[in-house]
Amino acid sequence: MRQTERYIERMTQSSESSSRSSGVTFRSLLLGLGMVLLVCVGAPYSIFMVGSSEITWSFFPIGVGVPFILVVFGNVLVKRLRRDWALRPAELITIAVMGLVASGIPIFMVGLLLAIPSKPYYGATPENEWASFVQPYLPEWAIPNPQGEAMRWFYEGMPRGEVIPYDAWIGPLFWWLSLIFAVYFACFCLVVILRRQWMEHERLTFPVTEVPRLLTEESESSSLPQILQSRIFWIGCGLPLSILLFNTVSFFEPGFPKIPIPAALTSVQLYLGAPPFSLHLYFPIIGFMYFVGTSISFSIWFFYLLTTVELGIVTWAGITVTPDTFVYGSMTTLSWQAFGAFTAMVLWSLWMGREHLCAVYRQVFKKSQELNDDDEMMPYRLAVYGLLAASFFILAWFWRSGMDLHVAILLMFGIFIAYVGITRLVIQAGVYYLTTPMAPQALVVAVTGTAIGPHSLVALALSYSLCSDIQSIFMPSAAHASRLGEFFQHRRRLALAIGLAVVVGFVATIYFVLQWCYQYGAGNFRSWYFSPGAGAGGMAFDTVVRQLRNPVSTDWTKMALFGIGATVYSLLSFCHYRFYWWPLHPVGLTISTLWMMQLIGFSVFISWLLKTTILRIGGINLFRQLRPLFIGMIIGFFLGIGISYGVDAIWFFGKGHPVLHG
């Protein structure tokens, strides 16, 4: 009898092990690549061509959420027909991960990659003086060949019978993609190195992963995932979905009444001259923030209000700073304070993980065996040496593009601060829609001044192609993949799926977007990136002209504000970790100046209020029982936006109705 029980136990363990390790299969890779193509083609098609909603502007975007939900529903039907044909949870996770890592490619990577290097010759006019201040210092190998009609056709459309001049793009795209892949690989190595610290030591919550995790949670008694069997899930789903479907009627009948969601219900101005506090109701924000600690959600909206009051004091005192390119908020002066807090958050988080980082160091360089890296997406040795090699390549690339070495080092430091900081905010605070307070290039210029030479300034302008409008980047998706990798016995197969998704995503996006640009003209797209008179390239190169005309030294006002933000964050962090009764989490200070806060602040407040009330009434049990309601809000909103996109693509091509920004 005991032998039989042991045999059954071994077979059960073997079955569970097989289930967990079979996530990366041929069919999951095939469906995952289908997801990648939908994301990488559907997102620019929605914005550039249809004029509909922006579906990849977050860290769990609608462009991934809608296809993944449809795959889950389709899997339910397959399971009812023949259960052994259905996708296992780990396979579904593979599909979701491949979509997530590709979500930042079409707009915030390829969009900028094509918009900025293509502009310095086509966009040059006697008025902007790019011919004198920019063109002589451009690295020819990083710019599409300006000879002939290649760039004019790119922006204005190609005559019939002509062939797309790929030869003008092949060389520059090769070098830019080598830089991008090096940055992606460095970010992946950082995720591998920091995963254990984030998940096991700090126990960060990864709120965004709750959607794929709960949607793939199997039920033994039904073909439906457990969450889809909950009535309150469908109530939560029906609320935003019914509102968005109701508003879709106005697409056909402009006079038909609309419910102002997610548009602002109203706006509140705390004092004369203050930026308006818009009462937007974003159901995904309410849903995701439900899975965040109340101290975090409280601090996010509290610090936004506090910073708004502070802005009035700063304005009254006459404290101003020179403008920067790609500033992400109306509180330009205080953005430097928030950026100081943002940087301090990253540095303090690394300090808190010093024991783990030292253990990784000993594992790699002293060959200790204190850490077991079999469960990581790559061995620590490869991650550390890969990070060093990628960093060296990035520095060499920046230096070769014209930057002085110290400028290149500062820029790389700023980029890694931005990427690690956003990743931490997403996996800890659940703010799935955000960016950095300032662009990394602004930090470089504030530290060095603008008298660093034209080669460095032009190279910095070109670097906006890689890192500028930071709203959907690879590193948080890689971190989510490491969390969802718990479905796998070995995460390293998942790393292969991630690499495949990235390569296919870039190749597909570049191919299709170039096709559209030369067929219709990028200047005709409904995107400010490609605006013929300005656009992303205009912002970057006009800044160079302004800086060369008015060279300045280190901006000590910006540095002082930066230092104040870092100091205040450090004090708040000390109080948070030392005093259990301390109510404010310092993370709210890092994003308090973002323009997104005007859109999401009210929804964060609603989520905090609901969760606080739920915990006081029913405690943790009621909190768990109501999880399906908030997941339903996210799913219903995603489906509603997906349907509105479909309506636009069929009936309103080129004249779509963007429902939301983000």
Side-chain angles (χ1 to χ4, degrees):
M1 186 67 178
R2 290 183 179 178
Q3 291 179 346
T4 304
E5 291 175 352
R6 289 174 182 173
Y7 174 77
I8 293 174
E9 183 179 353
R10 286 197 301 269
M11 292 299 294
T12 302
Q13 292 174 349
S14 176
S15 176
E16 291 175 353
S17 175
S18 175
S19 176
R20 290 182 64 208
S21 63
S22 58
V24 182
T25 61
F26 177 77
R27 60 181 183 175
S28 67
L29 287 176
L30 194 62
L31 289 170
L33 289 177
M35 170 84 81
V36 169
L37 292 177
L38 282 175
V39 171
C40 291
V41 178
Y45 190 76
S46 175
I47 303 174
F48 301 161
M49 309 295 291
V50 179
S52 191
S53 297
E54 299 157 338
I55 59 174
T56 57
W57 290 44
S58 68
F59 295 101
F60 194 99
I62 294 165
V64 175
V66 172
F68 181 68
I69 294 163
L70 296 179
V71 169
V72 171
F73 287 164
N75 196 50
V76 170
L77 295 177
V78 172
K79 193 178 293 186
R80 289 183 174 179
L81 294 174
R82 186 162 179 176
R83 196 174 187 88
D84 58 335
W85 285 1
L87 295 166
R88 290 179 287 274
E91 291 177 300
L92 291 170
I93 291 299
T94 299
I95 297 168
V97 165
M98 292 179 72
L100 286 174
V101 298
S103 61
I105 293 173
I107 306 301
F108 298 102
M109 296 304 299
V110 172
L112 289 164
L113 176 60
L114 298 181
I116 295 178
S118 63
K119 185 57 74 74
Y121 288 97
Y122 174 81
T125 64
E127 292 76 18
N128 61 33
E129 299 183 286
W130 292 359
S132 301
F133 288 98
V134 175
Q135 291 176 6
Y137 308 104
L138 291 168
E140 294 182 0
W141 50 271
I143 302 296
N145 190 342
Q147 303 300 321
E149 301 292 330
M151 292 304 102
R152 187 171 70 84
W153 291 351
F154 177 82
Y155 280 95
E156 300 175 15
M158 185 175 61
R160 289 187 177 182
E162 297 290 344
V163 179
I164 295 177
Y166 288 112
D167 56 332
W169 288 93
I170 291 176
L173 285 177
F174 170 80
W175 288 111
W176 279 107
L177 287 177
S178 69
L179 174 64
I180 291 170
F181 288 156
V183 172
Y184 270 44
F185 184 66
C187 290
F188 187 78
C189 292
L190 283 170
V191 167
V192 171
I193 294 170
L194 294 171
R195 183 202 68 83
R196 189 173 305 219
Q197 171 64 25
W198 287 339
M199 291 178 56
E200 298 180 13
H201 300 320
E202 296 186 57
R203 297 188 179 277
L204 302 184
T205 55
F206 292 78
V208 174
T209 61
E210 288 298 296
V211 170
R213 189 183 69 81
L214 291 175
L215 284 177
T216 55
E217 196 173 57
E218 288 188 317
S219 171
E220 297 181 359
S221 59
S222 172
S223 58
L224 287 171
Q226 289 186 6
I227 193 169
L228 298 185
Q229 300 174 43
S230 171
R231 183 175 300 177
I232 60 174
F233 168 84
W234 295 106
I235 294 174
C237 182
L239 182 59
L241 179 58
S242 59
I243 293 174
L244 292 171
L245 291 179
F246 178 83
N247 289 345
T248 304
V249 178
S250 66
F251 294 2
F252 300 91
E253 298 291 338
F256 194 80
K258 294 174 61 177
I259 302 173
I261 292 176
L265 301 173
T266 186
S267 296
V268 177
Q269 197 171 27
L270 297 180
Y271 56 88
L272 186 64
F277 182 67
S278 301
L279 304 186
H280 281 76
L281 202 60
Y282 270 87
F283 286 100
I285 294 292
I286 296 173
F288 283 121
M289 294 303 296
Y290 182 72
F291 297 96
V292 174
T294 53
S295 64
I296 292 178
S297 55
F298 171 79
S299 297
I300 288 173
W301 66 263
F302 172 83
F303 276 109
Y304 173 68
L305 295 179
L306 184 64
T307 304
T308 303
V309 174
E310 184 186 3
L311 178 64
I313 299 173
V314 169
T315 304
W316 172 79
I319 301 174
T320 59
V321 295
T322 55
D324 294 286
T325 307
F326 291 96
V327 176
Y328 309 122
S330 57
M331 306 180 190
T332 307
T333 303
L334 294 182
S335 292
W336 282 97
Q337 175 183 282
F339 197 33
F342 185 94
T343 304
M345 175 191 67
V346 175
L347 298 179
W348 277 115
S349 68
L350 295 177
W351 173 255
M352 287 190 299
R354 62 191 181 279
E355 292 184 4
H356 169 70
L357 294 177
C358 289
V360 172
Y361 170 82
R362 292 190 295 269
Q363 180 97 353
V364 173
F365 296 105
K366 296 187 176 181
K367 298 182 180 181
S368 70
Q369 300 298 322
E370 56 190 292
L371 296 177
N372 182 4
D373 58 5
D374 292 341
D375 200 31
E376 304 295 344
M377 289 190 287
M378 69 167 63
Y380 284 138
R381 185 178 299 275
L382 179 58
V384 171
Y385 283 117
L387 175 61
L388 293 175
S391 300
F392 178 80
F393 180 84
I394 294 166
L395 279 178
W397 201 102
F398 286 158
W399 174 77
R400 186 69 180 84
S401 70
M403 294 184 204
D404 293 334
L405 185 58
H406 70 287
V407 174
I409 293 172
L410 271 174
L411 178 61
M412 188 177 71
F413 170 78
I415 289 174
F416 284 147
I417 287 291
Y419 287 176
V420 175
I422 283 186
T423 302
R424 185 171 182 89
L425 284 170
V426 174
I427 65 177
Q428 179 182 25
V431 187
Y432 91 123
Y433 179 41
L434 80 160
T435 184
T436 55
M438 297 296 298
Q441 293 86 345
L443 176 64
V444 175
V445 174
V447 172
T448 64
T450 58
I452 53 178
H455 284 97
S456 289
L457 290 175
V458 171
L460 277 174
L462 283 175
S463 72
Y464 285 117
S465 306
L466 167 72
C467 181
S468 54
D469 202 5
I470 312 170
Q471 296 187 53
S472 182
I473 57 176
F474 169 77
M475 192 171 176
S477 298
H480 289 146
S482 70
R483 170 71 174 211
L484 294 170
E486 292 180 340
F487 281 82
F488 297 79
Q489 186 176 15
H490 299 291
R491 288 186 172 91
R492 291 180 189 175
R493 295 184 182 181
L494 189 58
L496 297 176
I498 291 172
L500 183 63
V502 168
V503 173
V504 172
F506 272 102
V507 172
T509 306
I510 290 172
Y511 173 78
F512 282 105
V513 174
L514 281 178
Q515 290 280 334
W516 297 334
C517 288
Y518 280 99
Q519 183 177 357
Y520 301 103
N524 299 316
F525 288 170
R526 296 185 61 169
S527 170
W528 71 270
Y529 280 2
F530 299 99
S531 176
M539 289 180 63
F541 299 122
D542 283 343
T543 300
V544 174
V545 175
R546 185 175 67 249
Q547 291 169 338
L548 289 175
R549 279 186 168 278
N550 302 286
V552 296
S553 59
T554 301
D555 195 321
W556 293 109
T557 302
K558 292 178 180 178
M559 291 293 94
L561 291 166
F562 183 92
I564 290 171
T567 302
V568 173
Y569 181 91
S570 300
L571 293 174
L572 289 170
S573 184
F574 174 83
C575 293
H576 173 72
Y577 288 105
R578 288 288 183 179
F579 308 119
Y580 71 92
W581 48 265
W582 184 257
L584 293 176
H585 197 287
V587 74
L589 185 62
T590 65
I591 59 175
S592 58
T593 62
L594 298 183
W595 65 269
M596 283 98 160
M597 287 304 302
Q598 298 179 29
L599 303 180
I600 69 174
F602 180 65
S603 297
V604 173
F605 169 76
I606 292 296
S607 184
W608 167 81
L609 183 63
L610 289 173
K611 184 173 181 179
T612 301
T613 304
I614 288 167
L615 289 174
R616 289 186 177 180
I617 293 174
I620 193 66
N621 289 331
L622 184 59
F623 163 78
R624 290 174 177 170
Q625 291 171 12
L626 291 180
R627 286 186 308 172
L629 176 68
F630 291 85
I631 294 292
M633 290 183 186
I634 300 169
I635 301 304
F637 189 86
F638 282 7
L639 290 175
I641 298 297
I643 292 171
S644 70
Y645 174 19
V647 170
D648 279 340
I650 297 172
W651 286 286
F652 302 98
F653 184 85
K655 299 179 180 179
H657 305 79
V659 178
L660 81 161
H661 188 86

